[in-house]
Amino acid sequence: MNEEKDVIILAFESSCDETSVALVKNGRELLAQSTATQIKSHQRFGGVVPEVASRHHIEQIIGCLDDVFSETGLTYADLTAVAVTYGPGLVGALLVGVSAAKAVAFAHQLPLVPVNHMAGHIYAAQYSAPLEFPAMALLVSGGHTELVYLAAENSYQIIGETRDDACGEAFDKVGRVLGLNYPAGKEIDELAHQGKDTFHFPRAMEKDDNFDFSFSGLKSAFINTVHHADQIGETLSKVDLAASFQQSVVDVLAEKTVRALRNYPVKQLVLAGGVAANSQLRDRLAKECEQLDGVQLVKAPLKYCGDNAAMIGIAGYVAYQHGVRADMSLNAEPGLEFEWLK
Amino acid sequence: MKILAIDTSNQPLSVALLEDQKLLAETTTTVSKNHSATLMPAIDQIFKQSRLKPADIDRVVVAQGPGSYTGLRIGVTTAKTLAYSLDKELVGVSSLAVLAAAVHPNDDTILVPLFDARRQNVFAGAYQWQDSQLVNVLPDQHVSLNDLCQQLSGKKICLIGTAAQQFADEFAANLAADSYDFAPVETAVPRAFVLGLLGEDKQPENVNDFLPQYLRITQAEAQWLEKNPAGKENHGPYIQKY
Ligand SMILES: [Zn+2]
């Protein structure tokens, strides 16, 4: 009789180029997830085209929603709340998920929980291990590169971020120069393992006394090196180029993260976001954490590093437990950001 | 039959609840800055006013396009998801037909609703009342003003919508003065009541496959097709599910 009722969250994610719907139980257990990725479509253009992305989302959203219900046999009566990514991301893409989530919440009179996409990335790590606080998160993706201090559950404060390109953006631009398909992260990672850091590209702001990042200098140095070689008819080693680029990125990310961990004693370092799938970065941070007494590295499982609704379901559960609610006027916020730590 | 009708295809926002062709409640505004923020509260309000629950409706009717891409997606996503999650019927109606259906001339004048599509282009179609039925006589299209005038020349027409007045000079230059007229100003704003009436007799759509009628492919795809004339057949599928 006194049994606690399961909290089942229906989660929507549509901030960029994946349409994803998930059912998550008690903030831990993924009951079902259906994701439609548009990468093949955007490969035609060498990157995500917002209007094309928005059109794909509306083509896929009902199919994904239908999948999670038919897979689990659950009904709307089983749901506790509806969670949705409302930013940051592409506004037209976000609007599809937000509109769908609001419609379900209204139709079945369910609480609506707005979720910051980046909080979703952080909580994806909880599919590996429960988060313990205080914690630090290194968020690295195609749109973001930031260090976030997590004083407690449902608390997110930025302590540093990129001043120009996001880390994943640099991977994609460099990938284009190397003639790789978008998104290039995985292929660069593979090439890098076969090469050596022979070019010694700059490590921007590595020694600066802050927690910010910069990748545009590295990107320019890379492009200049390749163009110069082209002009004098020299062919550079693709694997060494990839290795040198990736080494520089990993050095900067690791250096800044270690600096942050020294300044803010935490129990865990959470590695999350699309670039968190990079094997060299994962290995390097594991080594760094071993050196730092008592900091546990928690990595989002590879399959939840990219954009997905499973992670929105967990972050949505946490927000739901903390009483976070939106009303029917919820709008997409493409530029949504965590607050800065003061 | 109880119908929820939704039109967010352009700057105006209109939602209505109908029962057996009678209006229960309607909200129509032209001041909504953001349909994403205002649509659901407006729907919530008309349900409350009508003392209906979402599950009480039989059908959702939505203005399917043409119009603003973002506006269409907000309306169509909302309509699709309501219909799917409540297990109700879904019907789409041309956003241009909604404007035409509010005008009732005494003769066989051709009704030409239009929306501005920028750079001297419009979204336009032509409609006519035949035996009390609104019939489409020129398909909705994205068309330059010049082309539209050519297609309409020699016919007796009535121009409808805010874009009609906006291009008054162009029409004066391209159409014979006695061949066209402007519809009364009160017909320039689409009303979801009219939309609901138009949608009552239509066959329900497959909810999953239902999409806005943009009437234009994206610029990125147009440019890509120019460079890759073999086109989609040899390239897709673009979506992968897992
Ligand atoms: Zn992301």
Side-chain angles (χ1 to χ4, degrees):
Chain A
M1 279 286 141
N2 249 341
E3 229 176 277
E4 274 212 29
K5 204 177 169 274
D6 286 328
V7 175
I8 296 178
I9 306 252
L10 173 68
F12 289 87
E13 156 65 34
S14 69
S15 63
C16 189
D17 59 353
E18 356 264 351
T19 319
S20 187
V21 179
L23 286 165
V24 177
K25 187 165 129 186
N26 298 329
R28 292 188 297 270
E29 192 186 335
L30 179 63
L31 300 175
Q33 173 169 253
S34 177
T35 303
T37 176
Q38 318 170 357
I39 284 178
K40 279 237 162 242
S41 178
H42 298 291
Q43 276 174 351
R44 290 177 289 175
F45 319 116
V48 177
V49 176
E51 175 62 22
V52 174
S54 306
R55 290 188 181 196
H56 284 314
H57 283 301
I58 197 169
E59 291 161 8
Q60 299 302 321
I61 189 89
I62 298 297
C64 290
L65 183 56
D66 193 50
D67 286 343
V68 297
F69 282 111
S70 44
E71 212 174 290
T72 57
L74 293 181
T75 68
Y76 294 96
D78 299 313
L79 301 184
T80 312
V82 180
V84 61
T85 301
Y86 72 115
L90 303 169
V91 62
L94 288 164
L95 280 173
V96 174
V98 168
S99 300
K102 288 201 293 188
V104 172
F106 173 75
H108 300 280
Q109 299 297 299
L110 290 163
L112 180 66
V113 181
V115 176
N116 181 315
H117 178 77
M118 307 315 287
H121 274 305
I122 291 171
Y123 273 96
Q126 202 146 265
Y127 285 112
S128 298
L131 297 195
E132 289 172 35
F133 303 94
M136 184 72 67
L138 173 63
L139 278 172
V140 272
S141 72
H144 295 266
T145 306
E146 56 196 36
L147 279 161
V148 181
Y149 182 68
L150 313 167
E153 197 177 73
N154 205 44
S155 161
Y156 312 90
Q157 291 164 300
I158 299 180
I159 62 163
E161 67 175 356
T162 182
R163 300 216 175 146
D164 38 61
D165 292 356
C167 182
E169 208 178 334
F171 269 92
D172 290 337
K173 285 179 181 162
V174 160
R176 201 176 305 171
V177 176
L178 290 175
L180 307 179
N181 253 339
Y182 157 90
K186 203 174 164 201
E187 241 182 298
I188 288 179
D189 197 7
E190 282 162 11
L191 289 172
H193 277 275
Q194 304 161 40
K196 282 200 179 69
D197 179 6
T198 55
F199 291 96
H200 308 295
F201 292 124
R203 273 82 169 141
M205 305 171 70
E206 195 183 26
K207 303 292 171 206
D208 290 10
D209 191 21
N210 58 42
F211 308 109
D212 288 345
F213 306 93
S214 165
F215 296 102
S216 71
L218 165 62
K219 181 191 69 189
S220 305
F222 184 97
I223 294 172
N224 289 342
T225 302
V226 173
H227 281 182
H228 179 70
D230 280 352
Q231 276 168 1
I232 60 170
E234 196 184 328
T235 310
L236 302 177
S237 155
K238 216 169 172 175
V239 291
D240 288 345
L241 278 169
S244 304
F245 167 77
Q246 183 160 297
Q247 187 65 54
S248 172
V249 170
V250 169
D251 282 350
V252 170
L253 290 173
E255 184 86 16
K256 290 286 174 151
T257 305
V258 168
R259 186 190 299 270
L261 293 172
R262 291 216 169 94
N263 271 262
Y264 299 92
V266 294
K267 291 183 180 154
Q268 290 180 333
L269 171 66
V270 175
L271 176 59
V275 182
N278 184 280
S279 64
Q280 198 181 341
L281 180 62
R282 288 168 95 88
D283 294 347
R284 172 70 175 274
L285 288 176
K287 283 199 195 95
E288 298 287 359
C289 280
E290 273 172 32
Q291 308 278 311
L292 291 158
D293 255 359
V295 179
Q296 183 198 1
L297 177 66
V298 186
K299 299 170 283 191
L302 280 179
K303 61 178 174 176
Y304 301 128
C305 281
D307 292 346
N308 61 82
M311 69 187 197
I312 303 304
I314 299 199
Y317 170 83
V318 170
Y320 173 78
Q321 298 290 20
H322 284 263
V324 178
R325 303 285 184 274
D327 64 20
M328 281 297 131
S329 67
L330 178 68
N331 200 357
E333 286 187 35
L336 183 66
E337 266 198 19
F338 295 135
E339 278 179 23
W340 278 78
L341 182 75
K342 294 215 174 66
Chain B
M1 179 188 274
K2 293 194 189 70
I3 291 177
L4 168 65
I6 300 171
D7 190 340
T8 55
S9 56
N10 286 283
Q11 172 65 35
L13 177 148
S14 188
V15 293
L17 279 166
L18 294 76
E19 181 169 12
D20 301 331
Q21 306 185 349
K22 289 192 188 69
L23 181 66
L24 299 176
E26 183 187 51
T27 295
T28 302
T29 64
T30 58
V31 291
S32 165
K33 287 237 161 53
N34 200 312
H35 293 343
S36 168
T38 47
L39 173 61
M40 284 309 303
I43 290 176
D44 191 23
Q45 189 194 11
I46 56 169
F47 271 100
K48 288 198 174 108
Q49 288 166 340
S50 310
R51 294 175 209 285
L52 289 180
K53 290 191 193 66
D56 293 336
I57 57 168
D58 302 294
R59 167 177 285 204
V60 183
V61 179
V62 65
Q64 193 179 359
S68 128
Y69 300 158
T70 299
L72 289 175
R73 274 192 292 271
I74 292 167
V76 169
T77 305
T78 302
K80 264 174 94 141
T81 313
L82 284 173
Y84 168 78
S85 66
L86 292 165
D87 200 15
K88 306 297 181 186
E89 294 172 350
L90 176 66
V91 157
V93 170
S94 154
S95 338
L96 290 164
V98 178
L99 281 187
V103 181
H104 294 267
N106 297 322
D107 51 21
D108 59 358
T109 295
I110 292 171
L111 304 168
V112 182
L114 51 147
F115 304 136
D116 185 11
R118 279 178 285 191
R119 290 189 218 140
Q120 298 292 105
N121 292 312
V122 291
F123 291 115
Y127 294 82
Q128 205 171 27
W129 289 104
Q130 295 173 8
D131 303 326
S132 308
Q133 290 286 324
L134 188 71
V135 178
N136 176 258
V137 293
L138 188 69
D140 291 356
Q141 55 194 293
H142 177 260
V143 61
S144 72
L145 272 171
N146 280 338
D147 275 3
L148 179 68
C149 289
Q150 265 171 29
Q151 292 183 53
L152 297 171
S153 84
K155 299 186 170 95
K156 186 169 186 317
I157 62 171
C158 174
L159 298 160
I160 311 166
T162 43
Q165 289 290 350
Q166 184 188 325
F167 294 116
D169 292 346
E170 283 82 352
F171 290 121
N174 288 294
L175 293 171
D178 59 353
S179 72
Y180 72 98
D181 224 328
F182 293 103
V185 285
E186 67 270 20
T187 62
V189 176
R191 288 189 52 194
F193 177 32
V194 175
L195 168 66
L197 292 173
L198 286 175
E200 180 161 301
D201 294 330
K202 290 189 76 175
Q203 278 300 311
E205 308 263 359
N206 176 307
V207 176
N208 182 42
D209 301 341
F210 186 81
L211 295 175
Q213 295 285 347
Y214 304 103
L215 298 188
R216 285 190 86 187
I217 65 166
T218 63
Q219 205 183 351
E221 284 170 303
Q223 285 165 354
W224 182 82
L225 282 169
E226 236 168 69
K227 281 188 243 153
N228 301 271
K232 283 187 176 180
E233 294 74 31
N234 306 321
H235 198 253
Y238 293 135
I239 305 298
Q240 291 165 312
K241 275 185 95 168
Y242 57 89

